[in-house]
Amino acid sequence: ANGYYWSRWAKCIHSSHDLSDMVYIDNYIFNKDVFIQFNSTVGEFVGYTELGVHNARLFNNNPGQLQGERAELERVCKSRGEIYQSAIIDKS
């Protein structure tokens, strides 16, 4: 495909049964390289390229956007993690 490739991948990662170590990661990808990432452990956006650093600074200075990303850990990850965990336990 000629042109540019942009995507955004969000994921929840955990290894314990009680979900206490869960981490939410939101990657912004351009041409298959992550240029900005939000990691709930860090609590803010991190830029990995010149454009990413610039945009991460803008995102981090926007309280609404930053608060929305931080809330995704509870809203998406932990709520779904509890559902998935109970489904696994019910099968045991």
Side-chain angles (χ1 to χ4, degrees):
N2 296 329
Y4 300 101
Y5 175 82
W6 186 91
S7 65
R8 183 175 171 188
W9 293 3
K11 56 187 167 187
C12 304
I13 301 170
H14 69 95
S15 61
S16 67
H17 295 291
D18 64 359
L19 310 179
S20 62
D21 65 344
M22 186 163 284
V23 177
Y24 171 73
I25 298 175
D26 190 4
N27 291 313
Y28 293 70
I29 302 161
F30 182 73
N31 283 351
K32 300 182 182 180
D33 290 324
V34 174
F35 70 102
I36 301 173
Q37 182 182 79
F38 177 85
N39 182 319
S40 63
T41 303
V42 176
E44 64 181 23
F45 291 91
V46 176
Y48 294 102
T49 65
E50 185 177 340
L51 177 64
V53 169
H54 173 75
N55 284 311
R57 190 176 305 117
L58 293 175
F59 294 172
N60 288 331
N61 287 325
N62 181 340
Q65 186 170 10
L66 201 54
Q67 183 178 5
E69 285 288 325
R70 289 175 178 159
E72 292 297 281
L73 177 65
E74 294 295 326
R75 188 182 77 81
V76 176
C77 294
K78 291 193 176 177
S79 64
R80 290 183 185 170
E82 290 169 0
I83 293 168
Y84 297 149
Q85 198 67 25
S86 68
I88 292 167
I89 291 171
D90 289 347
K91 300 278 186 217
S92 301

